[in-house]
Each structure stands twice: as structure tokens, then as C-alpha cells.
Amino acid sequence: MSGFVFSEKPISIESGEGATLTAENGTEYLDFGASYACTPTGHCHPDVVDAIQEQAAELLYVQGSYPVQSRTDLHGKLGALAPGGIENVWLCNSGTEANEAALKFARSATDGTKIVAAKRAFHGRTAGTLSATWKPKYKKPFEPLLEDQVEFVTYGDTAELEDAVDDETAAVILEPIQGEGGIHPAPAGYLEAARECTEATDTALIFDEIQTGIGRTGDLWACEGYGVTPDILTTAKGIASGLPMGATLCRDWVAEAAGPHGSTFSGNPLVSAAANATLDVVVDEDLPGNADEIGGYLRDELTALDVPIRDVRGEGLMIGVEVKRGANRVLRDLALEHQVLALPAGRSVVRLLPPLVLEEEHADQVVTALADVLAPKAESQS
């Protein structure tokens, strides 16, 4: 039944440690994306494991109306770590739920109804977030959705964005770096322009940091690297080291008018404990700094390769390698020939999203693997 959502890979994973996954047959794989950016602290970081075990022995669940220390701590921690001016936190179970809440909050807090989103964007799979997602393959089986309330603009085109945002607009939702769409960082000045035109029209600016957040791009939040603070910021994936959690962070003016919203498992004690430990490790071990250093080294080494690569782009340890052959074929060869697991981002982009505990030797291993897989001799044999 798992194939209903995912195409099942021919590798059965049994355990993980740091940047390594181990299959049932004992083969070790370097994880450069198999975990969808959900393991910033690496697999089974001892501090995260200890926090989960301690909380599991005390309390697994109680509904969100009753204060629980791990949840209370997490609210405070996220509020303190959020970009300045964003102190309100709503917890949920996934990135799509975080974005769904963001869109609802924006609609409640403004007089607008229109949502402006970007081409190539991916924001989730619920009816609302799917409506703001660009790629037809995700949307077509479920149409009609809410397309008549969403206007898509070309990512990076400031003039087109400014023309689209008007007094009828409730929200502009953007990824600071587009992930699923091919690892496209926002061009210089683009997010600043988004901030200016949303402020001028009393529109909520939403930054989807589901994939870019929790240190991945070299800053705790990618928007900090651009010097732009949104009204609403969403995060998930790495926030609890792989356990299911998302969060919607927002400014006071949004929170005060957000309207009723809830979730049965919002901030459950176990996952909150994992998230607290994850954030502590990310900050205490300066994983954003490591992502910046090792990510810069990795991009430089990949750019220097004398093999058919069209482009290397990204920030920190969120890297896209645009290749001249199909990305899926490259990924197959990386896994089978070099025990490196990665992801596609479209037909021609190999997406690298390793744990932020990555070391230089791991980066070297991937550079060597890609050099071999992409070498002309390999192309002539395929």
C-alpha cells in the first residue's frame, strides 16, 4: 500500500547514525536526501533519542488544552529563535498543515481573498496548499481545487509580483529558495520587493521555510540571510529530527485576528520533546555554521568538476546540481554504484539535502561519486 504515495525503492533501511543509513543486508549508504531534509541533527542523535525516551516514559499524549511542559518549552523556544517580531506559534503535524494554517490565518487577518504564489512552487498536498502549488502532476487528479483564488507569478520577476499584489490580496506565499521546483534561490532584491508591496497593500507575506528552515541554508532561517522578515513563517521537516511536526509562526497582528483553528495532535508531548532537543542541538552545535562551511566547500568542488553539469546552485546544504542527463538515472547510479542516496528536483536536477552534521569527507565522497557517474564514459555506456 505504501506505493500508493511513494514509489518503493529496492533498499530496505534498518538503521541510521549521523549521515549514514544502513540497509538490512548491512550495506551503508550516505544520506544526501533520502530523509527529505528531516534530519538536521543526523540520524539518531543521542540527545534527541534521550529526550524522546524520557518523554515516552512519562506521557505520550494529552490534548492541547492542557499545558504540558515540553509543549510550553517549545512555544517559548521557537518564539525566541524566530526572526524578530514573530513570536506567536501554532504547532501541527506537517509542512502542508503549517502552510494550510498560514493561508487561513492570512485570510482571517486581512480584507483580501486572493493568494499570490509563484510558478514552480510546492507548498503541500491539502486542498488549500495544493491550490498554491504550481506543478500540474500534483494537482490535476484532484481538481477542481481553489485555483480561481490563486494567481501565479514568475518566481524572481519583481514587476510581475508587484502587478499581482493589490487590495484584494490576502497573502503572498514564497519559498526563499524553491526546493521541489529545482533549488532556485530568490534573486537579489526579490524578497525585499515582496516585503514592500505586501506592506503597501496590508497583505500578509508568508515565507514557506518547510525545507529551508532549521539551519539548512547556513542561517537558522533562510529569510535571515536575505534580511527580510515575513508576517508568517512556516517550518516542518527538520524541526523534530524526523518525527512529524510543523509550525506556523506569525506576528501579533496576524495572530490576534487568525480565527479558530486546531489540530488533535498539535504539539503532542513526545514530538515536542524531540523538537526541543533538536533545536538545542542545532543551536549548541552551530549546525547552521557547519551547513554554511561544508555547503560552500561542496558547491565549490562540484562547480570545479570537468563533467557535464549545467549548473550548481543553492545555499548551505540545500544544493541543486542541474545535469545534462535525466536526474533519476543519475540517482539510480549514485545509489547502486556508490551507495549515495539523493533526491530529484524535476527531471534534470539532483537535489542534495544531507544532515547538517555533514563532514568534509562526506562531501568529498559525493563529489567523487558524481564525477564518476556523470563522466562521459558513463554516458556512452548508458
Side-chain angles (χ1 to χ4, degrees):
M1 189 63 181
S2 61
F4 183 75
V5 178
F6 298 106
S7 56
E8 194 167 273
K9 303 294 189 293
I11 301 169
S12 182
I13 302 298
E14 185 175 71
S15 63
E17 182 178 1
T20 302
L21 290 167
T22 302
E24 284 184 348
N25 64 4
T27 302
E28 293 187 348
Y29 294 87
L30 190 55
D31 181 3
F32 260 68
S35 302
Y36 286 111
C38 291
T39 54
T41 60
H43 293 281
C44 297
H45 191 289
D47 290 359
V48 178
V49 171
D50 287 348
I52 292 170
Q53 291 176 336
E54 289 174 11
Q55 182 62 58
E58 294 178 355
L59 180 67
L60 288 173
Y61 175 78
V62 66
Q63 61 117 320
S65 298
Y66 298 95
V68 174
Q69 194 62 51
S70 61
R71 184 191 303 122
T72 300
D73 290 346
L74 183 57
H75 279 138
K77 195 166 294 183
L78 275 172
L81 292 175
I86 302 179
E87 298 178 352
N88 302 279
V89 179
W90 183 75
L91 300 173
C92 56
N93 312 288
S94 66
T96 191
E97 290 176 72
N99 281 336
E100 189 81 16
L103 295 174
K104 289 177 67 177
F105 295 168
R107 289 281 295 271
S108 297
T110 69
D111 294 327
T113 56
K114 183 172 72 172
I115 305 297
V116 175
K119 297 175 183 177
R120 296 193 309 240
F122 182 87
H123 296 299
R125 299 177 189 268
T126 56
T129 59
L130 196 55
S131 299
T133 290
W134 172 250
K135 196 172 286 188
K137 80 170 188 177
Y138 295 122
K139 301 165 67 167
K140 199 165 185 62
F142 307 105
E143 291 176 340
L145 295 165
L146 308 174
E147 294 94 337
D148 59 342
Q149 298 176 33
V150 179
E151 181 174 347
F152 287 97
V153 296
T154 303
Y155 189 78
D157 189 322
T158 297
E160 192 175 335
L161 175 65
E162 291 172 341
D163 286 344
V165 179
D166 54 29
D167 292 337
E168 300 299 315
T169 308
V172 172
I173 182 168
L174 297 168
E175 299 160 90
I177 300 176
Q178 289 191 316
E180 180 79 13
I183 312 296
H184 294 281
Y190 184 62
L191 298 184
E192 291 91 331
R195 179 68 284 178
E196 291 174 6
C197 68
T198 52
E199 286 182 341
T201 55
D202 294 325
T203 296
L205 178 60
I206 303 169
F207 283 165
D208 176 343
E209 295 234 25
I210 305 303
Q211 197 166 135
T212 58
I214 319 298
R216 178 147 300 278
T217 64
D219 293 286
L220 190 61
W221 311 105
C223 65
E224 293 176 323
Y226 289 93
V228 181
T229 302
D231 301 298
I232 305 173
L233 183 149
T234 59
T235 185
K237 291 198 181 296
I239 191 173
S241 290
L243 269 65
M245 173 171 276
T248 305
L249 317 178
C250 53
R251 294 180 184 267
D252 286 343
W253 73 268
V254 176
E256 290 166 0
H261 191 65
S263 169
T264 298
F265 297 108
S266 173
N268 78 76
L270 186 69
V271 183
S272 291
N276 279 313
T278 297
L279 292 172
D280 285 344
V281 170
V282 168
V283 173
D284 293 347
E285 297 186 10
D286 189 21
L287 296 189
N290 190 63
D292 183 52
E293 179 182 350
I294 302 299
Y297 172 78
L298 179 55
R299 291 194 305 277
D300 287 345
E301 292 296 302
L302 290 169
T303 301
L305 286 177
D306 186 21
V307 293
I309 291 177
R310 289 193 176 96
D311 193 18
V312 177
R313 52 184 180 259
E315 296 289 342
L317 287 172
M318 183 176 182
I319 300 172
V321 182
E322 188 170 351
V323 297
K324 294 185 178 180
R325 54 187 289 200
N328 284 328
R329 293 172 60 198
V330 174
L331 294 169
R332 177 201 64 193
D333 293 346
L334 283 173
L336 296 180
E337 298 174 15
H338 295 277
Q339 292 73 55
V340 172
L341 305 180
L343 292 166
R347 295 180 179 178
S348 62
V349 177
V350 173
R351 181 171 26 162
L352 305 178
L353 301 171
L356 307 187
V357 296
L358 204 72
E359 299 177 6
E360 194 171 293
E361 64 184 85
H362 300 133
D364 290 337
Q365 184 178 335
V366 168
V367 171
T368 299
L370 275 167
D372 180 64
V373 167
L374 294 174
K377 59 179 176 58
E379 281 196 320
S380 65
Q381 295 170 359
S382 61

